Structures are given as structure tokens and as C-alpha cells.
Amino acid sequence: DALPISSNADLAAEFDDPVALVVLAEEELVVIDLRTEGWPVMQSPYLVSLHCSAITCSHHISNIPLKLWEGTILAGTKQNAHYSSMPWPIDGGIVLAPNPPQRDLLLTGHEDGTVRFWDASGVCLRLLYKLSTVGVFLTDADHNDNLNSQ
């Protein structure tokens, strides 16, 4: 299913001059920016699935130093430069929870070789940065070598 969105309050303009297209995919809601060349998708403000690749380990760290926190956010922002800069067009409600007094980080190691850095400070986890370690642990050895020698 798809729904065009207009910046105009006129309902007829949604079909004549849409700014975005909301697409309901099988497991997620995707919004496409129709005003930017190449039609980039908008980064979803909603929780990214923790289980997009099986988690093999996790570690929670409280009271992250501000400089490290800001550096992690900056690295994640650079990593997500391919997303549209248009703000998410769907909103509703107001978050009543106060900003958390401390910065908490959840690190998750995944079966696909990535380490994900999550903001665990507030009500909902938010993905800050994804580090791929596949190149570090890639070898020329065949993973079946150990099985064949037995």
C-alpha cells in the first residue's frame, strides 16, 4: 500500500504535487522524499529491530563521557548521509518523558560481524552507529577446513 503526502493542506494537492510517498512494506513503513533528486528514503524515527541479525553478545554502559557521546553521534550522522534531510512527515502526540539525565549506551555484537551502538538513555532504543568488523576477521581459510581434517 502507498499514500502520497503533500505539504499543502488541500487534499487534492496530495495527488497533484506530493512531497513524499509513504509505503507500507511487509515489515516496515518507508517514506520516500519525492522532492530530492534520486528520491532518497527518510530515516525512520522508530526503533530499528535489534534482531536484524542474531545478537551474539551485548554490553550496557552508563554515564558515557559527553565527548565520546557526541563523537559517536557524529560518526552515525556521517554514516546516514544517504538518507533524505526532509523531516519525518508523520507525527502525533507529544513525548512527556523528560530528557534523560545521563547518557547510556548499549553495544550489541551480531552474527553478521557488526557491532551496533544504541542510545539506551530514554524510553526507546535508538541506533546511533553501526561498525562492520567483517574486514578485520576475514581470512583466506575456508571455514570447512576444520571439518574436513577430522
Side-chain angles (χ1 to χ4, degrees):
D1 292 329
L3 173 72
I5 295 181
S6 172
S7 61
N8 193 331
D10 179 17
L11 293 178
E14 285 186 5
F15 299 103
D16 296 335
D17 190 26
V19 296
L21 183 65
V22 180
V23 180
L24 179 59
E26 186 173 335
E27 294 186 11
E28 64 183 329
L29 192 62
V30 179
V31 180
I32 303 167
D33 177 357
L34 300 176
R35 294 274 169 103
T36 304
E37 187 176 331
W39 292 0
V41 297
M42 294 177 198
Q43 187 170 16
S44 172
Y46 307 115
L47 176 65
V48 177
S49 174
L50 270 173
H51 302 286
C52 46
S53 174
I55 295 174
T56 57
C57 63
S58 66
H59 187 72
H60 181 263
I61 308 164
S62 292
N63 298 319
I64 301 296
L66 183 60
K67 193 169 186 173
L68 176 60
W69 185 258
E70 290 172 342
T72 304
I73 290 173
L74 179 63
T77 301
K78 289 178 182 177
Q79 196 175 55
N80 295 325
H82 63 282
Y83 287 110
S84 170
S85 60
M86 180 185 242
W88 187 258
I90 304 166
D91 62 6
I94 299 170
V95 177
L96 298 176
N99 287 334
Q102 64 186 34
R103 294 168 297 277
D104 288 355
L105 193 63
L106 175 65
L107 302 175
T108 55
H110 295 261
E111 193 173 58
D112 64 0
T114 60
V115 177
R116 293 189 169 105
F117 295 66
W118 302 87
D119 176 357
S121 306
V123 178
C124 182
L125 290 176
R126 181 173 61 102
L127 182 62
L128 298 176
Y129 181 72
K130 182 171 76 170
L131 173 68
S132 177
T133 63
V134 172
V136 176
F137 297 105
L138 189 63
T139 66
D140 292 335
D142 183 3
H143 70 278
N144 290 323
D145 284 348
N146 291 339
L147 298 174
N148 296 333
S149 65
Q150 294 176 356

